Amino acid sequence: MNTTEKVLFTKKLNELAINDELTGINNRRYFNEVMKRTFDMFQRDKVSFCILMLDIDFFKKVNDRYGHDGGDALLKSLACTLKESLRDIDFLARYGGEEFIALLPNTEKSDAFIVAQRVRLAVEKSIVQHGTQKIRVTMSIGGGEISPGDKDYESVIKRADVALYEAKNSGRNKVVIA
């Protein structure tokens, strides 16, 4: 392997380490690294942040109706929609399956609600063309804000996850901020 090939190979490995292979956005592992640094900054500087957990409503029905390639097309398209709907300072990642997560730095929960509603509406309005068919979905979003009593960033993620399930259990296509 020559020097150019080694450089390209190293670059590709670095991309795979931080990006989700399907959607091209950040992956969960890299999100956790960023969260650790963000939590450390919170402990030092007391800078507020919020987490949004975003889950596609009834994603299994999409896979059942359009096949896994239809589900993949939807995930790729929604990753773009989410990125475009979030602010430049926000950090988006695929958290697993049909679930995404966003870090909203320097954000309190009232502003997180506004951001989450904008994202939810953008997803609701989006149409994914898959062959001759159009796929439409909605998204439920749960949010959590860092609290002075939090011992780690996982506490915020857990609050956001509980809020997400509250959004799903109260009818879906909703935003709930803990």
Side-chain angles (χ1 to χ4, degrees):
M1 192 181 290
N2 65 35
T3 304
T4 303
E5 290 172 329
K6 286 180 185 176
V7 168
L8 291 173
F9 181 72
T10 301
K11 183 180 177 187
K12 184 65 177 172
L13 282 178
N14 287 335
E15 286 176 17
L16 291 172
I18 65 171
N19 292 330
D20 175 64
E21 186 177 13
L22 177 65
T23 62
I25 63 172
N26 300 299
N27 64 24
R28 183 177 184 158
R29 180 178 41 186
Y30 188 51
F31 179 85
N32 287 333
E33 288 177 29
V34 170
M35 277 303 306
K36 180 169 180 356
R37 289 193 304 265
T38 302
F39 185 76
D40 291 346
M41 284 191 320
F42 168 77
Q43 288 186 308
R44 185 183 65 235
D45 303 331
K46 302 303 180 217
V47 176
S48 183
F49 68 87
C50 288
I51 297 293
L52 297 179
M53 298 289 294
L54 311 103
D55 193 72
I56 301 168
D57 295 328
F58 304 111
F59 184 70
K60 184 181 179 329
K61 289 182 180 181
V62 172
N63 277 338
D64 290 347
R65 182 170 182 187
Y66 303 102
H68 289 284
D69 57 331
D72 287 353
L74 176 67
L75 289 169
K76 289 177 196 176
S77 179
L78 285 185
C80 291
T81 300
L82 296 175
K83 267 187 90 97
E84 290 169 2
S85 302
L86 290 168
R87 305 165 304 175
D88 289 340
I89 63 168
D90 299 331
F91 187 86
L92 176 68
R94 184 168 174 210
Y95 206 62
E98 72 274 11
E99 195 168 58
F100 297 86
I101 191 166
L103 165 64
L104 311 181
N106 301 316
T107 305
E108 295 179 1
K109 64 182 175 180
S110 59
D111 292 325
F113 183 81
I114 293 167
V115 171
Q117 281 287 35
R118 183 176 60 241
V119 169
R120 186 192 63 75
L121 288 170
V123 170
E124 182 179 68
K125 291 177 184 176
S126 69
I127 299 170
V128 176
Q129 189 71 41
H130 179 64
T132 60
Q133 298 183 315
K134 296 178 181 184
I135 304 172
R136 296 185 74 131
V137 293
T138 58
M139 181 168 269
S140 297
I141 303 172
E145 182 179 22
I146 187 68
S147 170
D150 289 334
K151 302 284 187 240
D152 52 41
Y153 68 86
E154 287 95 350
S155 303
V156 187
I157 293 174
K158 286 176 186 167
R159 271 196 302 284
D161 198 41
V162 168
L164 169 64
Y165 281 94
E166 186 178 328
K168 287 188 162 297
N169 291 332
S170 65
R172 300 184 192 264
N173 193 25
K174 297 196 184 225
V175 173
V176 173
I177 306 292

